Amino acid sequence: MAIPAPRHGVPRIIARPDVRPMREEVLRGLHSEPKTLPPKLFYDETGAALFERICELPEYYLTRAELEILRARSGEIAKLAGPRVALLEYGSGAGVKIRLLLDALERPAAYVPVDISREQLGRVARELAAEYPEVAIRPLNADYTLQLAVPPLPEGSRRVAFFPGSTIGNFHPMEAAIFLGRVRRAVGKGGALVLGVDRRKRAATLNAAYDDASGVTARFNLNILARLNRDLHAHFDLHTFEHRAFFNSRASRVEMHLVSRIEQIVKVAGEPIHFERGESIWTESSYKYDRARLEELIETAGFRTRKLWTNRKRQFWVAYLEAV
Ligand code: AVI
């Protein structure tokens, strides 16, 4: 059987040149106290592949828990969202979750994947355009943490944002509220947001999820240094750093660090960076929410909770939020 041509043509990527220069951001982080690096740097090609492996690790329950909820609830989500939805996905992942929604929705009008990686975006957009010829695919190459200039969407469509994976946990609470406020403005009045959020739980479970026995998360973390060596002419010796991840219960977040095993000076983009022995670069925070903190975040951002679903083991939430 011939594959029907996408009714809306081959998707053209819309680029927003708002990606801030990496050099300044990295040097600012490495000169601060404590040293930090932005987690978005994890996702070069190697990092994205390692992240996909993380999602399949026995210890990393998040992806399976969220998929369980989406499979069970996609019909309910579709009912709440109604017909002719324009779906805005913040960070286009491997495409499994979005297919669950596109399959359940009644005559979806458009799909706007937003991603900083042009390659990933192009691949996802081409695949989905072939599979869903009736849906207008409008890939947007942009840093989704900034306010989006949403491309023109089919007349009469209702905007529903999708932000899965508990990536919201990678923002500090204040930034999370600002970011969700931007999502609120992007969907407008009458819009909605389907949000995936990891729940606070026992430290042992969280520590294992971010420091797996097979060392994939350690490689994912260390890959950020390999990336700086390649893209910023840095001189990190990866053997002199080790992965550390732990649940900080007071702040309700898992922290990932890269700890220098020795005292050393590393050149990064021509600048010397000094490390004490045992000093760390804080590479990621993954906040875990309880119900009260989540509701506070939702309200501050200008949404109201319509539904909150969890999986059988009560590890994760998928929330259906309506713009107030
Ligand atoms: C993308 N993000 C939600 C993941 C998380 O769980 O915070 C990234 C990750 N870091 C280590 N493992 C997975």
Side-chain angles (χ1 to χ4, degrees):
M1 197 182 84
I3 300 169
R7 217 181 59 176
H8 303 274
V10 175
R12 269 193 30 235
I13 295 182
I14 303 164
R16 302 274 181 237
D18 52 12
V19 181
R20 269 180 263 145
M22 174 177 169
R23 183 179 185 276
E24 279 70 65
E25 211 174 341
V26 165
L27 287 175
R28 198 176 340 110
L30 291 179
H31 281 304
S32 57
E33 182 61 44
K35 292 179 170 59
T36 60
L37 280 173
K40 66 181 170 200
L41 293 183
F42 284 134
Y43 302 95
D44 64 355
E45 221 179 303
T46 310
L50 285 167
F51 181 63
E52 284 191 24
R53 285 185 58 195
I54 288 177
C55 292
E56 288 173 5
L57 291 170
E59 298 95 330
Y60 195 79
Y61 56 86
L62 286 82
T63 315
R64 283 183 297 279
E66 186 176 51
L67 277 170
E68 181 190 326
I69 303 168
L70 288 173
R71 286 202 178 97
R73 307 293 182 175
S74 57
E76 276 177 72
I77 293 174
K79 262 205 201 105
L80 289 168
R84 305 295 295 152
V85 159
L87 260 183
L88 274 58
E89 187 177 18
Y90 286 73
S92 53
V96 182
K97 298 170 192 169
I98 200 68
R99 283 178 175 83
L100 283 172
L101 291 189
L102 286 171
D103 288 344
L105 285 168
E106 190 186 336
R107 293 178 293 119
Y111 170 55
V112 184
V114 187
D115 208 288
I116 202 157
S117 152
R118 224 186 144 86
E119 294 74 45
Q120 169 107 327
L121 195 62
R123 200 175 333 115
V124 169
R126 279 191 302 276
E127 282 173 16
L128 289 172
E131 277 174 57
Y132 299 90
E134 299 295 320
V135 180
I137 312 283
R138 302 270 183 268
L140 186 57
N141 184 209
D143 180 347
Y144 66 69
T145 61
L146 307 176
Q147 186 68 53
L148 291 186
V150 180
L153 296 171
E155 190 109 351
S157 57
R158 175 165 181 236
R159 293 178 184 189
V160 176
F162 183 43
F163 194 44
S166 198
T167 303
I168 194 63
N170 297 136
F171 293 77
H172 293 290
M174 183 74 87
E175 296 167 6
I178 293 170
F179 168 69
L180 289 187
R182 291 190 174 134
V183 175
R184 162 67 189 80
R185 283 196 289 285
V187 296
K189 211 168 179 320
L193 164 65
V194 179
L195 179 69
V197 186
D198 196 19
R199 296 179 70 167
R200 190 185 164 117
K201 55 186 64 67
R202 288 173 56 227
T205 309
L206 292 167
N207 291 340
Y210 290 83
D211 192 8
D212 59 287
S214 51
V216 181
T217 311
R219 284 175 56 199
F220 173 72
N221 199 5
L222 282 159
N223 178 59
I224 206 167
L225 301 184
R227 176 172 190 181
L228 296 189
N229 285 349
R230 190 193 60 220
D231 294 345
L232 273 189
H233 310 292
H235 295 269
F236 285 102
D237 174 357
L238 271 57
H239 299 291
T240 64
F241 285 86
E242 67 186 24
H243 166 70
R244 189 167 299 161
F246 57 89
F247 182 57
N248 174 339
S249 155
R250 219 163 49 93
S252 198
R253 67 184 177 222
V254 175
E255 294 182 13
M256 287 215 311
H257 295 260
L258 288 166
V259 181
S260 179
R261 297 179 199 265
I262 54 170
E263 184 185 356
Q264 58 180 320
I265 290 172
V266 181
K267 273 238 170 129
V268 180
E271 288 196 21
I273 310 288
H274 177 263
F275 288 88
E276 298 288 352
R277 181 168 174 219
E279 187 178 354
S280 87
I281 311 174
W282 185 2
T283 50
E284 189 185 63
S285 294
S286 211
Y287 283 84
K288 307 300 167 188
Y289 282 84
D290 59 26
R291 182 77 193 252
R293 289 254 178 101
L294 179 62
E295 290 297 349
E296 193 184 309
L297 171 65
I298 290 166
E299 202 189 305
T300 312
F303 286 101
R304 150 180 65 222
T305 307
R306 181 72 192 272
K307 282 278 180 186
L308 192 62
W309 299 288
T310 194
N311 62 320
R312 270 167 304 184
K313 290 189 185 160
R314 309 174 68 80
Q315 295 156 307
F316 200 93
W317 276 311
V318 171
Y320 188 94
L321 311 175
E322 288 171 339
V324 182

